[in-house]
Amino acid sequence: MERATNKRDIALGVVVAGTRVGATVGRVALLPVRVAARMPVVGPALRRAGESLAADGHEARVQGRHRLETTAGDVLTSPEIERTIDVAMAGQLTDAVARSLAEHQVVERIAEQVLAETDLEGAVTKALGHERTERLVAEVLASPDLERLLVSAIESRLTVGLTDRVLESPEMQRAVEQVASSPAVRAALARQTTTLADEMVGSIRGRAERVDEAAERAVRGLLRRPPLPRTSSSDARQYAGVATRAVAFMIDVAIAHVIFLTGAAMLGLVASLVGDLRPEWLVAALLASGWTVVVGGYFVLFWTAAGQTPGMRLMRLRVARPSGDPPRLGRALLRLIGLGLAIVPLFAGFLPVLFNERRRGLHDFFGDTVVVHTERAPLMTEGVEIRGDPAQGMMSRA
């Protein structure tokens, strides 16, 4: 093996030495020509001859390229080449090329190079803004084939299964929970609910006030009394009429009874576990006492604490002393007693509301109170006029 290697090295050395000798001989042979090219008479002639030879060589090269292109075109369009390519594509060459492309990731490298060197965003924007693209999109959208394709896709079992999988996926459930619990959705639902409730209560309140005016005019007409004054300092409309107060009272009674029934049901459940109460008169007495305490406590608590019950708040009413403050515990108890007396004779105790200048009923006389609209009632306290609702903190001194 070492001997063969030495022979190859010797042969290679001979070739290199021959090349060097040939180059030296060529330089020596061309030396007279170089000298002659520098001479004044022979030099221009040699340069013209060289330029002529160069022009002939360039022309020959162009003609040769043209002949080569023509020959290559003829060869590529010949039936033999087509059959050869067809045979090659039908063989294993195609599979081998595909495997080689996948193995060396040729497509990925080409795509990366194109994306790196091409303004893809600008090209896409330009293509989308072209009128031909718009016309093509409009034709596609108007095509009945697209409609049939979409209908087939929607009605296919694959779409149904895909929809079920998407809806049952943890990601979709988390997204729905986040949307449902978002502050924006809760605020929107609260606004919608509040708006609907306000519209309903506002409609009831407006109709009740119109009934107040009509009932007052009718009663004062029967009694041949003049209409109540409508001056800024003494406007009867600032005081609540009989219909508005009746609606607020019914709402409060319903709420108080719900509270009583809930408590009674809980006590009945406890009693059923430890044994029934006997005798029956004792049960009736306890229920009556409990009802009186719950209903009476409901009204007294709200009158003294806030100056208005929940029903009065919905109707935008409040009960107050002439000073503008809510009634205290003693006045609230007297007003509760007067309310009971006003109800007993078929609600006759509410009739003074129809013709009294401040629309006061029997219970208002007992408690020395008035019931006013929170939006329009000026009250006097210690010589200072107060407008608005003191319970809501909306007060402005005039």
Side-chain angles (χ1 to χ4, degrees):
M1 185 67 183
E2 183 180 359
R3 192 171 186 180
T5 303
N6 293 335
K7 287 181 180 181
R8 284 198 296 270
D9 293 341
I10 292 171
L12 183 59
V14 171
V15 171
V16 172
T19 303
R20 291 175 179 174
V21 171
T24 304
V25 172
R27 286 197 295 271
V28 172
L30 293 174
L31 183 59
V33 178
R34 291 178 180 176
V35 174
R38 292 190 179 93
M39 295 176 66
V41 179
V42 182
L46 289 176
R47 283 194 293 273
R48 285 194 298 272
E51 292 176 358
S52 177
L53 291 174
D56 294 340
H58 178 70
E59 184 178 357
R61 186 178 62 181
V62 172
Q63 292 178 357
R65 182 183 298 173
H66 180 67
R67 292 196 203 95
L68 181 61
E69 292 176 355
T70 304
T71 304
D74 295 338
V75 171
L76 292 176
T77 56
S78 62
E80 291 79 5
I81 293 297
E82 293 181 1
R83 287 194 297 271
T84 303
I85 294 175
D86 184 65
V87 173
M89 296 299 290
Q92 298 180 354
L93 177 62
T94 306
D95 299 335
V97 172
R99 285 195 299 270
S100 179
L101 292 174
E103 181 179 356
H104 298 288
Q105 298 181 349
V106 177
V107 177
E108 289 83 351
R109 295 205 305 271
I110 293 175
E112 291 178 358
Q113 191 69 19
V114 170
L115 293 175
E117 297 183 359
T118 306
D119 187 8
L120 185 61
E121 183 177 357
V124 172
T125 304
K126 185 177 180 180
L128 292 176
H130 198 274
E131 59 180 10
R132 185 174 180 183
T133 305
E134 296 178 357
R135 187 169 59 253
L136 179 62
V137 172
E139 292 177 357
V140 171
L141 294 177
S143 174
D145 297 332
L146 177 62
E147 183 179 357
R148 288 195 299 270
L149 179 63
L150 292 176
V151 171
S152 301
I154 293 173
E155 294 178 352
S156 65
R157 290 181 296 176
L158 177 62
T159 305
V160 176
L162 182 61
T163 304
D164 294 338
R165 290 179 59 185
V166 170
L167 294 177
E168 294 174 359
S169 63
E171 291 79 8
M172 177 60 71
Q173 294 178 1
R174 284 196 298 270
V176 172
E177 290 177 359
Q178 291 178 358
V179 171
S181 61
S182 64
V185 173
R186 291 202 299 266
L189 292 176
R191 284 195 302 271
Q192 292 296 328
T193 305
T194 304
T195 303
L196 179 60
D198 288 343
E199 290 179 356
M200 292 178 60
V201 175
S203 177
I204 295 173
R205 186 167 53 246
R207 294 181 181 182
E209 291 179 4
R210 288 193 293 271
V211 172
D212 291 339
E213 299 288 340
E216 181 184 281
R217 285 195 302 269
V219 172
R220 296 185 75 84
L222 291 175
L223 297 177
R224 299 182 181 276
R225 300 183 64 178
L228 291 176
R230 293 291 186 265
T231 61
S232 58
S233 60
S234 177
D235 190 346
R237 288 176 299 177
Q238 66 188 349
Y239 301 103
V242 64
T244 307
R245 297 172 67 167
V247 173
F249 181 71
M250 287 188 294
I251 295 174
D252 289 327
V253 169
I255 296 175
H257 277 79
V258 169
I259 296 173
F260 169 73
L261 292 176
T262 303
M266 295 178 63
L267 292 177
L269 178 62
V270 173
S272 66
L273 296 176
V274 299
D276 295 335
L277 292 176
R278 291 288 185 274
E280 294 184 358
W281 65 266
L282 177 60
V283 176
L286 290 175
L287 289 176
S289 301
W291 181 88
T292 303
V293 171
V294 170
V295 176
Y298 172 89
F299 284 101
V300 171
L301 175 64
F302 283 108
W303 286 342
T304 57
Q308 56 184 180
T309 59
M312 297 177 71
R313 189 175 184 86
L314 287 176
M315 300 303 293
R316 297 184 182 178
L317 306 176
R318 78 165 181 271
V319 58
R321 298 289 308 285
S323 63
D325 298 323
R328 297 191 178 183
L329 180 60
R331 290 291 179 179
L333 291 174
L334 290 175
R335 193 173 194 274
L336 180 64
I337 295 173
L339 180 62
L341 295 176
I343 294 173
V344 170
L346 299 177
F347 294 91
F350 289 93
L351 292 178
V353 178
L354 296 174
F355 50 83
N356 182 262
E357 291 185 357
R358 292 194 293 172
R359 293 177 173 176
R360 302 174 72 189
L362 180 62
H363 50 300
D364 293 315
F365 290 106
F366 269 67
D368 191 18
T369 58
V370 290
V371 178
V372 295
H373 294 280
T374 58
E375 298 175 341
R376 32 178 134 128
L379 296 176
M380 300 300 296
T381 173
E382 298 179 359
V384 179
E385 185 177 337
I386 299 178
R387 294 183 179 272
D389 186 0
Q392 299 177 6
M394 297 184 299
M395 302 174 62
S396 62
R397 297 181 180 273

